[in-house]
Amino acid sequence: MRNVSTIRKSALSFAMGLCLSSLVAGPALAQSVTGAIAGRANAGETITVKNSDTGLVRTITVGKEGNYRIAQLPPGNYSVAAGSGAAVSVSVSLGGTTTLNLLKDGAVNLDAVQVLGSRVVNRVDVHSTESSTNVTRQEIARLPVDQSLTSVALLAPGVIASGASFGGLTFGGASVAENVVYINGLDVTDPYRRQGFSTVPFAFYQEFQIKTGGYSAEFGRSTGGVINAITRSGGNEFHAGAEATFEPFAWASTLKDHFHSDGTLDERDRTSRDGGSFYKANVWASGPIVKDRLFFFAMYEQRDSNPRDIDTIEAFRTTSNNDFWGAKFDWRINDDHLLELLAFSDKAKSTTSNYEYDWDSGVFGDKNGESYSGSGGDNYSLTYTGHFTENFTAKAMYGINKRSATGGSPWDAGCSIVTRSGSYTAQFGPATEQEGCHPTNSSVSSRFDKRTAMRLDFEWALGDHLLRFGMDREVMDSDSSRFYPGDGSSYLVQAASAGGVLPNGAVIPSGVTAIVDARRYITGAPVSTKAEAFYIEDNWNITPNLLLNLGVRADKFENTLASGATFAKASFSDMISPRLGFSWDVKGDGSTKVFGNAGRYYIPLTNKLTDYFGGGTTDEHTYYVLDGWVEKSDPVTGMPYLFPRLGAQLGPVDTEGNVAAPDDVRTEVARDLKQVFQDEYILGFQRAINQTWSYGVNATYRKVTRAVEDVRINHVEGCPWYSGDWPILNPGDTNTLWCPTTGDWVTFDSSQDGYKALGSGLIMGYKKPRRTYKSVEFQLDRAWDEHWSFNASYIWSKTEGNIEGPVNSDTGYADTNLVQYYDHPAVNERYGVLFNDHRHQIKLRGSYKLNDYFLFGATLSTYSGGPISAFGVRWPNDNRSAGGPSEYSGGGSGWLCQSGCSDWTTRQLVFTPLGAFGRMPWVTDVSANVTWTIPVPVGSLKARFAVYNLFNSQTTVNVHTRYESTPGNKMPYFGEAKGWQSPRYMQLVLTYEY
């Protein structure tokens, strides 16, 4: 009672809720890997903050206005004292400001806070103008949350796992290629497609922050969401532990075999025998190297998985035995200067063997081949934090993030690709002996990405103003390659007729009945993106109860080709992002808040786009007479196989397909290319009912009105050169391209010109891109009080437009900024509900501590299914295809042919809007866990058993959207499922630490 009484007399806290159920997190600090404590106290008084875990002590003198702020504090628990008064224990969380008023004569209302023993935990954050959710590793341990950053992010309202064939997370209706991920302030997002990220073991993390909107000017290069995480650190006490995770194959429910309505098997073949076991174990240690000064945390983890994919006549078994190492060192040079080093390696490699398989007997046959794949890389960051006065701090960070994507097989070195055409089989009959020795006849590919990141961030407190400013620079390099295995050529055997003319102009001699096309293909080269930004922000307390956030961010970038030439670039003046926010403490006691913000967010181009246009390609064909077959021995298995004997060469090498790495892209990239941005507006309300219960509501509106894509341009007034090209430009806007015919620049309005219809000859342009997201969010929260907690959220939202973003989930096309929205004007003419439109979303989570031994947790997530749209192949007054019949071929029209379909002049077409064919079903996931704390003489031993997707829902999350193969010929499986929710699986985690 003594501690609680002291708190009631000395503390009023109205800041960020630090428990899992917090509604809104605090404003981001430099790199958002630290927190702060701020508030009001008596002018001239000394405020002392101490972290008992590390011995850190910071002091500051309260200014004449009665305000104080202690910034750049590592997240954790602190004691705060004013002068010689009693200390108050408070929590500081990632990216937030904990506000603690220490006025001697101030009235105190503890309805705004939660008291856990002697520790004050804030319930409402009147210093925040953003929407985010903070989660600590202790809070995660109480809930059935799988061990991944993705699973943590899905706790936040408005975040949904995409049903796209390429997966990913969608934040607030955005596509999966618009998010960024940070670990200890280092950007670890995939720079090539922006659809993945580097990661560390789950037990290596300390705290997570999921930003879903309204984030400050410090953050950019995202029009989706931000996942911000920090890793564990050491302290003055030595700790160590071990953890083992078990997911046996027998504990998972069976995937269903899926069939089309006509009884045929789904394109993925059989899935009911797929699956595999997964196990991992880690050991870690932390503690002081020098007490109060130098600390460490280190972890080693071993992972073992063996997934299998068993189809009707073949089976694939994969082995993946990988390890992870990581370490964090913190050197507190003194109380004002800190140096942090993070290093980790997430390299991984897997080997897949394919076998003949008999479904009925379940017997594996001969091994037919083997392939391997690799990923990951080594990562480092070094961060310095300095407090130069009580009111001025600086931070500098340098980091390297490496990723890779490699593939190949043991046959690559000694086996070339050998295939035969249908004409050869028709004339000479099917093969009676194996031809060629490569098991997959696929190219050898690799890609290595490296990001070098540098940041400078500053904070300067000046009375009622907190000025934050800084700059950052990232150099993102991608080096990709693709070539044929063996001797570098792919050999295609074809039937031939004397007198026929080959593509190189050679005439097939008399008596020759078969030829060999030896193709040599090499593509890929290093490309790079340099991105820079600076920002400045003023957090101004206009009154003690009203905070105004004024910020602006300016970005620039340059993409360079393999030749070193510039592919695309934008200057600071091209990418200005204003940010404005406010937070009003309505009652002045921290219990009720009204907040809002408005901001612009830009997103740069990826290396994928530069690589596609600028790598250069060697594509040569050499033709030979087929002089029979020669028998050779497989270099891996020793088995015999046939290889074509090359006779006389026919004509010169055909080099028409060679494309040198360009150094002039004036016809391929618009000179006045403008970058994609999103405008966002949020208005919200939050109230703490009492020390544990709170609720909130907010409304969000987001709008995108620009795209950067490759666009079919087959007509430009004044420049006949453009007759079927695909330059990168801003569709629907005015663009300027180089005209080789006239030797000058030509400017045209692509909303009126750019496309000439086949047949009618009509000249037309492309619709201006647009995407809007509207939502209303409600939350009810019951904070953890060492006994139980509960959180409920509901979101109504609507995502509309004619473009999803830089990828296309409807057609399963994942090449960022290279999708088919502007392959034809028909593809983007429809405004309507988009793939990521999930109108209703409900999330519940809670935990309950029965006693000192047993704790239970549960989560529920349910959201309405996305829309079903039809994609045809033609549109009125045009005989050119607007999309192909293949599910992943891209494009497609909303016009469907009803009659007279064989001729464009007689076709009767009916227009179908987006979402015209209904919606997919609701997707529901219920998960539960129980944690048993096992009494042991020393340390802590826990066993945590979790069941994910408890009711084994395998709901449809994606469907076939191709309506026609040719005009009037309906595809057989339109509207039928092609993607499903993952089945139930179970997980046991044993954790020991002391």
Side-chain angles (χ1 to χ4, degrees):
M1 293 300 296
R2 185 186 188 95
N3 288 333
V4 175
S5 177
T6 301
I7 294 171
R8 289 185 180 273
K9 291 179 180 180
S10 63
L12 173 63
S13 176
F14 47 97
M16 178 175 61
L18 296 179
C19 59
L20 171 63
S21 51
S22 61
L23 300 178
V24 182
L29 303 178
Q31 299 179 60
S32 200
V33 297
T34 57
I37 299 174
R40 298 184 61 80
N42 297 298
E45 200 163 36
T46 299
I47 306 297
T48 303
V49 173
K50 182 175 182 179
N51 185 319
S52 59
D53 291 335
T54 62
L56 169 65
V57 177
R58 297 279 311 285
T59 61
I60 192 170
T61 302
V62 181
K64 62 181 181 180
E65 299 87 356
N67 298 324
Y68 77 92
R69 179 183 178 85
I70 302 178
Q72 300 297 328
L73 295 173
N77 295 324
Y78 291 82
S79 63
V80 184
S84 58
V88 179
S89 297
V90 300
S91 292
V92 174
S93 73
L94 172 62
T97 299
T98 299
T99 302
L100 183 67
N101 288 347
L102 297 168
L103 295 166
K104 289 182 179 178
D105 300 323
V108 176
N109 180 356
L110 289 183
D111 287 345
V113 302
Q114 180 191 9
V115 181
L116 297 179
S118 62
R119 181 166 59 91
V120 173
V121 178
N122 302 273
R123 302 297 309 123
V124 178
D125 180 8
V126 295
H127 282 267
S128 172
T129 64
E130 68 180 18
S131 299
S132 61
T133 300
N134 272 54
V135 188
T136 66
R137 61 185 300 268
Q138 292 83 4
E139 293 155 348
I140 289 290
R142 298 195 293 265
L143 292 167
V145 178
D146 202 2
Q147 300 176 349
S148 70
L149 272 180
T150 296
S151 298
V152 175
L154 288 171
L155 292 174
V159 184
I160 291 178
S162 172
S165 57
F166 41 82
L169 295 176
T170 168
F171 284 69
S175 76
V176 301
E178 301 175 56
N179 310 317
V180 292
V181 178
Y182 295 89
I183 298 178
N184 285 16
L186 175 65
D187 187 349
V188 294
T189 315
D190 168 29
Y192 193 72
R193 282 192 175 93
R194 204 168 44 235
Q195 293 175 46
F197 49 86
S198 303
T199 188
V200 300
F202 203 65
F204 200 75
Y205 288 112
Q206 175 62 33
E207 191 169 348
F208 312 86
Q209 188 180 46
I210 301 96
K211 297 176 181 287
T212 53
Y215 33 92
S216 70
E218 171 200 359
F219 288 95
R221 306 187 185 114
S222 166
T223 48
V226 175
I227 301 176
N228 185 35
I230 58 171
T231 61
R232 297 166 69 179
S233 298
N236 274 328
E237 294 185 3
F238 180 80
H239 294 280
E243 183 176 88
T245 301
F246 306 86
E247 292 182 21
F249 178 47
W251 290 5
S253 296
T254 302
L255 285 158
K256 298 176 182 178
D257 286 329
H258 296 283
F259 298 87
H260 298 302
S261 57
D262 61 4
T264 59
L265 194 61
D266 176 74
E267 290 79 2
R268 296 192 308 178
D269 212 310
R270 299 281 185 173
T271 56
S272 59
R273 297 179 187 175
D274 296 351
S277 298
F278 174 68
Y279 305 97
K280 66 178 181 179
N282 64 62
V283 292
W284 61 270
S286 69
I289 299 175
V290 179
K291 187 178 181 180
D292 290 342
R293 286 291 177 258
L294 183 59
F295 313 97
F296 80 96
F297 179 90
M299 175 178 287
Y300 174 81
E301 181 169 279
Q302 179 67 40
R303 309 164 183 170
D304 182 9
S305 63
N306 57 353
R308 65 185 192 183
D309 177 7
I310 299 179
D311 296 335
T312 306
I313 60 173
E314 60 182 342
F316 302 85
R317 284 178 166 172
T318 300
T319 58
S320 182
N321 302 316
N322 298 294
D323 59 359
F324 165 92
W325 61 263
K328 172 90 185 305
F329 296 92
D330 297 84
W331 179 23
R332 189 157 57 81
I333 303 169
N334 56 43
D335 285 339
D336 292 325
H337 300 277
L338 173 66
L339 197 62
E340 302 169 79
L341 173 65
L342 171 70
F344 69 89
S345 175
D346 63 345
K347 291 180 180 178
K349 185 176 181 180
S350 62
T351 301
T352 299
S353 302
N354 59 299
Y355 301 85
E356 295 178 355
Y357 184 77
D358 183 82
W359 181 264
D360 293 331
S361 65
V363 174
F364 286 80
D366 294 334
K367 182 177 178 179
N368 292 328
E370 185 175 283
S371 62
Y372 58 83
S373 63
S375 63
D378 296 330
N379 302 266
Y380 307 90
S381 69
L382 183 66
T383 304
Y384 163 78
T385 304
H387 303 268
F388 294 95
T389 69
E390 289 184 344
N391 299 318
F392 186 79
T393 62
K395 176 170 282 191
M397 191 273 290
Y398 176 86
I400 294 176
N401 166 231
K402 292 183 180 180
R403 295 171 54 86
S404 62
T406 59
S409 88
W411 282 263
D412 288 342
C415 290
S416 298
I417 295 174
V418 176
T419 57
R420 54 161 57 202
S421 69
S423 64
Y424 186 84
T425 299
Q427 184 166 338
F428 298 99
T432 58
E433 189 174 343
Q434 179 178 328
E435 297 170 354
C437 59
H438 201 281
T440 63
N441 283 341
S442 58
S443 300
V444 182
S445 63
S446 66
R447 192 185 78 246
F448 298 91
D449 302 315
K450 178 182 177 182
R451 172 188 282 104
T452 303
M454 292 158 279
R455 290 190 62 98
L456 285 173
D457 298 273
F458 304 92
E459 289 190 6
W460 191 9
L462 293 171
D464 293 328
H465 297 266
L466 173 65
L467 296 179
R468 302 180 57 251
F469 53 96
M471 63 198 73
D472 78 286
R473 184 174 190 266
E474 291 186 355
V475 179
M476 293 163 281
D477 300 315
S478 294
D479 191 352
S480 64
S481 67
R482 180 182 166 210
F483 55 90
Y484 289 137
D487 62 10
S489 292
S490 174
Y491 298 92
L492 173 63
V493 182
Q494 309 174 66
S497 300
V501 180
L502 297 172
N504 64 352
V507 177
I508 298 174
S510 176
V512 175
T513 58
I515 64 169
V516 179
D517 175 2
R519 183 187 184 190
R520 183 169 175 261
Y521 183 87
I522 305 171
T523 189
V527 297
S528 182
T529 298
K530 296 179 179 65
E532 298 175 86
F534 69 85
Y535 72 94
I536 184 168
E537 180 179 276
D538 180 13
N539 292 279
W540 177 20
N541 278 105
I542 299 176
T543 72
N545 300 333
L546 180 61
L547 172 71
L548 188 63
N549 179 281
L550 300 167
V552 64
R553 176 186 176 94
D555 283 86
K556 66 178 289 189
F557 75 91
E558 181 179 12
N559 299 87
T560 53
L561 307 171
S563 63
T566 297
F567 175 74
K569 66 179 180 179
S571 63
F572 285 125
S573 61
D574 296 326
M575 303 173 73
I576 301 293
S577 304
R579 311 280 172 87
L580 171 66
F582 76 93
S583 176
W584 176 30
D585 181 8
V586 179
K587 296 185 176 182
D589 62 358
S591 66
T592 307
K593 181 181 78 167
V594 175
F595 69 99
N597 58 68
R600 174 164 289 186
Y601 304 84
Y602 276 91
I603 193 166
L605 303 181
T606 61
N607 279 353
K608 170 62 184 177
L609 184 63
T610 314
D611 185 28
Y612 179 81
F613 277 85
T617 299
T618 298
D619 190 358
E620 300 175 344
H621 293 259
T622 306
Y623 300 93
Y624 301 91
V625 173
L626 176 63
D627 192 16
W629 296 81
V630 60
E631 188 172 87
K632 294 187 176 183
S633 296
D634 187 308
V636 177
T637 67
M639 300 297 292
Y641 72 93
L642 297 179
F643 191 84
R645 180 183 287 115
L646 303 182
Q649 181 173 326
L650 302 174
V653 176
D654 184 355
T655 60
E656 285 295 315
N658 288 350
V659 179
D663 54 13
D664 184 353
V665 293
R666 291 178 296 176
T667 62
E668 296 173 328
V669 184
R671 181 178 66 176
D672 47 0
L673 189 71
K674 302 176 182 66
Q675 301 312 308
V676 177
F677 66 88
Q678 175 173 268
D679 287 331
E680 178 186 73
Y681 307 91
I682 300 176
L683 183 64
F685 170 83
Q686 190 178 357
R687 174 169 173 75
I689 302 171
N690 53 38
Q691 292 185 22
T692 54
W693 286 95
S694 60
Y695 69 94
V697 58
N698 67 70
T700 300
Y701 176 75
R702 298 186 178 105
K703 179 175 68 174
V704 176
T705 57
R706 185 181 291 167
V708 173
E709 282 288 344
D710 60 326
V711 182
R712 181 200 289 267
I713 299 296
N714 61 9
H715 181 274
V716 173
E717 186 67 34
C719 185
W721 187 85
Y722 288 95
S723 58
D725 301 275
W726 306 85
I728 298 296
L729 46 80
N730 299 123
D733 288 336
T734 299
N735 294 268
T736 301
L737 292 167
W738 180 255
C739 181
T741 308
T742 63
D744 200 359
W745 294 98
V746 57
T747 299
F748 68 104
D749 183 353
S750 65
S751 70
Q752 304 295 322
D753 193 4
Y755 183 78
K756 182 178 181 179
L758 181 64
S760 68
L762 290 175
I763 306 300
M764 61 198 73
Y766 293 86
K767 295 283 188 180
K768 189 175 181 64
R770 183 179 177 88
R771 183 185 76 201
T772 61
Y773 173 79
K774 307 168 188 175
S775 74
V776 180
E777 173 188 322
F778 302 89
Q779 277 207 67
L780 177 65
D781 180 77
R782 204 275 184 187
W784 175 253
D785 62 353
E786 302 298 334
H787 296 289
W788 69 287
S789 65
F790 173 75
N791 180 270
S793 67
Y794 166 76
I795 289 183
W796 175 94
S797 65
K798 190 173 186 180
T799 305
E800 297 177 291
N802 63 344
I803 180 171
E804 176 190 351
V807 296
N808 190 341
S809 300
D810 278 305
T811 60
Y813 209 82
D815 282 344
T816 310
N817 293 119
L818 287 168
V819 292
Q820 309 86 357
Y821 293 115
Y822 299 96
D823 285 10
H824 190 284
V827 182
N828 76 311
E829 71 168 335
R830 293 186 289 180
Y831 287 95
V833 289
L834 297 173
F835 183 87
N836 294 315
D837 177 55
H838 299 281
R839 199 59 51 85
H840 305 281
Q841 178 190 154
I842 299 171
K843 292 185 178 182
L844 306 176
R845 59 183 184 266
S847 54
Y848 174 71
K849 183 178 180 181
L850 179 64
N851 51 40
D852 290 339
Y853 303 104
F854 290 99
L855 184 146
F856 300 88
T859 61
L860 178 145
S861 172
T862 182
Y863 56 89
S864 55
I868 300 175
S869 303
F871 290 85
V873 295
R874 294 291 192 275
W875 75 330
N877 300 313
D878 190 14
N879 200 35
R880 184 177 286 112
S881 174
S886 171
E887 197 66 37
Y888 303 100
S889 63
S893 166
W895 295 89
L896 310 177
C897 191
Q898 303 297 300
S899 63
C901 301
S902 60
D903 192 313
W904 71 272
T905 62
T906 61
R907 289 182 190 131
Q908 297 297 310
L909 302 171
V910 60
F911 179 77
T912 62
L914 292 171
F917 289 83
R919 286 184 173 269
M920 287 174 270
W922 280 63
V923 179
T924 300
D925 184 295
V926 176
S927 299
N929 73 285
V930 57
T931 301
W932 177 27
T933 300
I934 305 170
V936 291
V938 179
S940 171
L941 177 62
K942 295 183 178 182
R944 179 174 178 268
F945 182 74
V947 183
Y948 301 99
N949 192 4
L950 180 65
F951 298 109
N952 194 29
S953 301
Q954 297 188 38
T955 306
T956 298
V957 296
N958 206 339
V959 298
H960 293 273
T961 58
R962 294 295 175 192
Y963 191 88
E964 296 173 310
S965 57
T966 57
N969 293 317
K970 186 178 178 181
M971 297 289 286
Y973 309 129
F974 168 75
E976 297 185 18
K978 69 173 184 180
W980 298 267
Q981 185 181 3
S982 297
R984 176 177 55 226
Y985 66 101
M986 305 179 193
Q987 181 186 81
L988 174 65
V989 181
L990 299 178
T991 304
Y992 176 76
E993 58 183 82
Y994 67 91

